[in-house]
Amino acid sequence: MTRRVLVINPNSSELITAMIASSARNALPDDEIEVLRMTDSPEGINTRADEEVAIKAMLDHKVAGRLDDFDAIVIACFGDPGVPELQAHTTRPVVGIARNTLEYAASTHGGFAIVAASVDAEEIMRNLVDTYDLTDHCRSVISVGIDAASLARGGRDHLPAITSRIRDLITALDNGVESVVLGCTALAPLAEDLEAELGIPILDPVNSAVRSIVS
């Protein structure tokens, strides 16, 4: 039976929305995936203030009344903004890509590192690790020092710098990192190239979270 999955991009970037759609549809190619972006949100979600605006946008977007029309809802932002707020409007599961992917990384690979976009986002990632009780598995949280919108616009131009940043992290931690979770949806298109270059699992959280719906 074909599943209907709603994937919500809490930011307003068309580029990031296209990246999210590609990851989600690659995860479940035989199912119906609808992807929405929040046009009243920031172009990228980098701070707590951005998250608050995004949550308000999701609740004001009149999507709450449609949630029960889907088999599952995925919030495609690594801070998991709005998960409890939307869950209050539906009996369908509302999945946050951060919690889903971090728990998968911990249970499957053991020690993981998170690579965020901007420096501001690092605090959000560390708080998520604490909230989800995964401190024993998280080896490090770093950023590439580029905000999400700029990452999306730069595309593969950023790949060499990001590869070097992650390689330095792995080396510094003396192989304590068994997988790397990409803590920004704008990094997702680089996952396969990073994994091939670095030789360890690189987890695209949108793909991981959407795939988990059928597991």
Side-chain angles (χ1 to χ4, degrees), residues 62-209:
K62 304 188 186 306
V63 69
R66 298 182 58 217
L67 298 179
D68 283 341
D69 295 337
F70 297 89
D71 296 299
I73 299 92
V74 176
I75 307 297
C77 173
F78 204 79
D80 289 349
V83 171
E85 289 85 353
L86 289 186
Q87 188 66 79
H89 288 275
T90 183
T91 58
R92 307 301 193 188
V94 179
V95 177
I97 62 170
R99 181 169 196 163
N100 179 281
T101 307
L102 294 177
E103 289 180 345
Y104 171 79
S107 64
T108 305
H109 301 293
F112 61 79
I114 304 172
V115 177
S118 68
V119 174
D120 288 338
E122 291 183 28
E123 180 184 357
I124 294 174
M125 308 296 143
R126 293 190 183 97
N127 288 339
L128 287 175
V129 169
D130 291 340
T131 299
Y132 299 151
D133 196 24
L134 293 169
T135 53
D136 289 346
H137 295 278
C138 184
R139 302 292 181 257
S140 182
V141 177
I142 63 167
S143 67
V144 296
I146 307 169
D147 66 87
S150 297
L151 274 174
R153 288 192 293 269
R156 293 181 59 82
D157 290 345
H158 296 299
L159 181 60
I162 294 168
T163 303
S164 177
R165 182 85 167 111
I166 299 175
R167 182 181 287 112
D168 289 346
L169 167 69
I170 295 169
T171 302
L173 294 177
D174 192 24
N175 294 324
V177 176
E178 296 166 277
S179 67
V180 172
V181 178
L182 299 178
C184 177
T185 52
L187 290 168
L190 306 179
E192 289 187 5
D193 289 323
L194 288 169
E195 185 167 309
E197 181 68 26
L198 297 167
I200 66 170
I202 306 291
L203 303 181
D204 165 2
V206 175
N207 187 280
S208 177

